Amino acid sequence: MNCKKCGSPLGPNDYYCGVCGEKVEKEGEAVVTEPVMKNNTALTLGIIGLILGSVVLGILAIVFSKKPNASNAKTAKILGIFAIVRAVIGVFYAIFVLPGMIEDIRAQLEVGSIIINYLLAF
Ligand SMILES: [Zn+2]
C-alpha cells in the first residue's frame, strides 16, 4: 500500500505517512460518520399540541419538523396541522355550540324547578 498523497510505500501498521505525514486510510475500514442526532422536539410538540388543542404548539411542531434532524418530520407536521385544526374547532365550539348547550341546560333546570314548585304546592 502506498500513500495516496505522495505515493511513498507504507508499512501495514502505519497510521501516518513517514514522508509527507498524510493520514493513512486503511482499506476496508468503514468511514466513520458522525451519527446525526435525531431530534424529537417537533414530534413531542405535535403530540402535546394535539392533546391540548394549541395553535402555538401546532405551529411550533410544523416549524421544528422542517429542521433537518427532526425525527418523524412528516408525522410531526401532520400532528401540528391537526393541533391547529383541533384548536380552531375548539374555539368554534366554545363560541357557537357551548352557549346554546348552556341555554338548553338552564331552560331544563327552569322547567324542573317549575315542576318541583308545582309538586311542593300540594
Ligand atoms: Zn505520503
Side-chain angles (χ1 to χ4, degrees):
M1 197 171 137
N2 294 321
C3 172
K4 68 178 168 112
K5 194 178 177 190
C6 70
S8 306
L10 297 164
N13 296 319
D14 286 351
Y15 285 95
Y16 291 93
C17 172
V19 177
C20 74
E22 178 76 358
K23 196 169 188 270
V24 175
E25 277 176 31
K26 296 266 187 251
E27 266 175 52
E29 205 172 85
V31 179
V32 180
T33 49
E34 281 286 311
V36 179
M37 284 295 286
K38 283 288 178 188
N39 192 310
N40 284 317
T41 308
L43 195 64
T44 309
L45 286 169
I47 292 167
I48 297 170
L50 185 57
I51 292 167
L52 298 178
S54 165
V55 174
V56 175
L57 291 180
I59 290 167
L60 283 175
I62 293 166
V63 169
F64 275 91
S65 75
K66 293 192 191 306
K67 299 212 169 192
N69 64 341
S71 71
N72 301 89
K74 215 171 194 176
T75 310
K77 192 178 169 185
I78 291 166
L79 285 171
I81 292 165
F82 277 149
I84 293 166
V85 170
R86 188 196 178 294
V88 170
I89 290 169
V91 169
F92 180 88
Y93 193 81
I95 292 173
F96 296 103
V97 181
L98 223 52
M101 279 173 65
I102 291 167
E103 198 52 51
D104 279 353
I105 292 166
R106 195 177 289 158
Q108 284 170 22
L109 287 174
E110 235 161 73
V111 170
S113 68
I114 290 165
I115 291 167
I116 288 166
N117 283 335
Y118 181 76
L119 293 173
L120 287 176
F122 284 96

